[in-house]
Amino acid sequence: MSELPESDQTLVEAGRYRRLPAARERGLVVAALELPYWIKRESGAWVLFVEEDSLEKVRGELAAFESEEKEHPPVRTLLPEKIPTFSLYLAGWVLSTFYLVQQLAGERWLEQGSAESGAILHGGWWRTVTALTLHADLGHIAANLATGLLFAAFVIPRLGAGLAWLAILLSGALGNALNAWGYRGEHHDSIGASTACFGALGILVGAELFARWSEPRQRNAWQLILPIGAGLGLLAYLGVGDEGKSIDYMAHGWGFAVGIAEGVGAVALRAKERLPAGAQRVAGVATLGLLALCWLLARRG
């Protein structure tokens, strides 16, 4: 960007834009034609100037650029512009409350709610949900809160708060169900919200993967490998752990896989854009309701 030159050269307006980045981007289109351009602030707008004899050529190129932008809008990135925090605080409070109740209730609470594979496969489906609210110790719940709330903070802007939490809960529940199926015929038991935490990570990967695939300019091997590689890297670093530690890496993997499917589906169906605010609230209430229902069934069982 530069001031208009003081010379006999005639400069004319090629475009007027509300934001400076938009004017600069169009300036780069002019620069690609190996032509000079100037940007100046005028009457609350940023004006792109070019030499008069190149105006027709510039306008043709800018028209082609604008057409391409409308046909193929830029891919949204994982980084949200604004992260709503209320539901994050609520989720942290809910999980912490369950942990406190678990400490007061003792071993019976664990026996009734853990993701014991045989019990799940013989009708105790609610355990796939209740197990997500149980934790071995303070370090366990602290780790899950840290990773889960971080991943959720990036899922919420993509799906909306209510749908995001319902999808995260279901990814954990389905992950636990698939894990129980994988251990059919043998005893396997687990607890913890980490299956849902890696479900949230999977949702992020699936959403970004579909967004890149739907953008022809981003549909190449490296652009598609990037979100998958990042997700698998985090899954390996955070979800597998050291040998000898009691970490259910298979459950983490199942949650991650379910999350990818959910993320792809949500973005493909444009769920956030199509769901009204009321539906988001219903999804949020349904999430809490599902937790309550599953624990009611667990206590009665």
Side-chain angles (χ1 to χ4, degrees), residues 232-258:
L232 289 176
L234 283 171
L235 175 65
Y237 182 72
L238 299 172
V240 175
D242 299 328
E243 186 177 357
K245 286 189 175 181
S246 182
I247 296 178
D248 196 349
Y249 62 89
M250 289 297 294
H252 296 175
W254 282 120
F256 180 72
V258 172

Side-chain angles (χ1 to χ4, degrees), residues 211-232:
R212 289 170 183 261
W213 174 259
S214 62
E215 169 55 69
R217 290 178 296 178
Q218 300 283 343
R219 195 183 298 165
N220 60 69
W222 286 113
Q223 290 290 345
L224 297 177
I225 287 172
L226 181 61
I228 296 175
L232 289 176

Side-chain angles (χ1 to χ4, degrees), residues 87-88 91 128-129 132 147-156 159-176 193-204 255-256 258-259 262-263 287 290:
S87 68
L88 297 175
T128 63
V129 174
L132 300 172
T147 56
L149 294 180
L150 175 63
F151 295 152
F154 288 89
V155 174
I156 290 170
L159 272 63
L163 183 59
W165 286 114
L166 183 58
I168 290 171
L169 181 65
L170 290 178
S171 70
L174 290 172
N176 280 338
S194 52
T195 307
C197 293
F198 289 103
L201 175 62
I203 293 171
L204 283 176
F256 180 72
V258 172
E262 289 182 339
T287 303
L290 182 58

